[in-house]
Amino acid sequence: MKTMTFKYRPNNRSKMLASMKKAMAGESQVFEDVIFFESLDLVDSFINPMKAKIIRSIQKHSPESIYELAKILGKDQGYIQKEVKFLEGLGILKIESIKDNGRTKSVPTVIYDKFMRDLDDSDKNSMAVEQIKGAHG
């Protein structure tokens, strides 16, 4: 089982801002299956209920395109495309381009089975770890 951990690490603002910009541009910012955040609010905003729904829907339905995922979620395709690109930048999703009858489809898959939030603010053994509900299952 592959697990992604969102780790709270205060006083890391400049590195965090640089990583956010790269993630928004679609560059993976995952290092050893951990993403660091300076504030707990940022953890919640990065993996909000809509992003969790997107992850769950991909795991449950295995859509064959972003368009199909948008239909499953009942949302605008452009909005879902933007969210999927962001999740890909975080290294949570993988997007594969597949040719189908002369058209290219972007097929999303979830890389991780489980998502955890580590609230311990030290680099020692984590004491306050919680599973993010709804990301799997």
Side-chain angles (χ1 to χ4, degrees):
M1 182 178 298
K2 191 167 180 177
T3 302
M4 163 65 75
T5 302
F6 301 98
K7 182 167 179 38
Y8 169 57
R9 181 182 280 166
N11 305 319
N12 198 23
R13 189 167 187 74
S14 62
K15 287 182 182 178
M16 185 224 25
L17 290 174
S19 289
M20 272 182 17
K21 286 181 183 179
K22 289 178 182 178
M24 292 174 84
E27 291 181 44
S28 180
Q29 294 302 297
V30 178
F31 305 98
E32 298 177 26
D33 304 325
V34 177
I35 300 175
F36 296 95
F37 294 90
E38 184 178 65
S39 91
L40 296 174
D41 290 338
L42 278 174
V43 175
D44 291 338
S45 69
F46 269 65
I47 300 301
N48 61 31
M50 189 64 216
K51 288 180 180 75
K53 271 187 183 179
I54 290 170
I55 292 166
R56 274 196 316 268
S57 294
I58 294 169
Q59 288 172 325
K60 183 177 180 181
H61 301 287
S62 300
E64 295 183 14
S65 66
I66 302 296
Y67 172 77
E68 185 180 332
L69 176 62
K71 282 179 63 173
I72 290 166
L73 294 165
K75 298 288 182 184
D76 175 73
Q77 182 180 354
Y79 169 72
I80 297 300
Q81 178 72 36
K82 179 181 154 193
E83 294 291 337
V84 164
K85 181 178 178 179
F86 181 77
L87 290 168
E88 180 184 29
L90 288 177
I92 293 170
L93 300 181
K94 181 177 108 179
I95 308 300
E96 185 178 0
S97 294
I98 296 177
K99 293 255 184 195
D100 183 29
N101 293 329
R103 299 186 80 186
T104 302
K105 291 199 257 182
S106 297
V107 181
T109 55
V110 180
I111 297 171
Y112 295 89
D113 302 303
K114 189 174 180 181
F115 298 88
M116 303 291 286
R117 197 167 29 185
D118 182 344
L119 306 177
D120 183 14
D121 64 354
S122 72
D123 285 327
K124 298 175 186 168
N125 293 333
S126 296
M127 302 289 277
V129 176
E130 63 179 295
Q131 184 170 348
I132 297 175
K133 295 178 183 171
H136 187 258

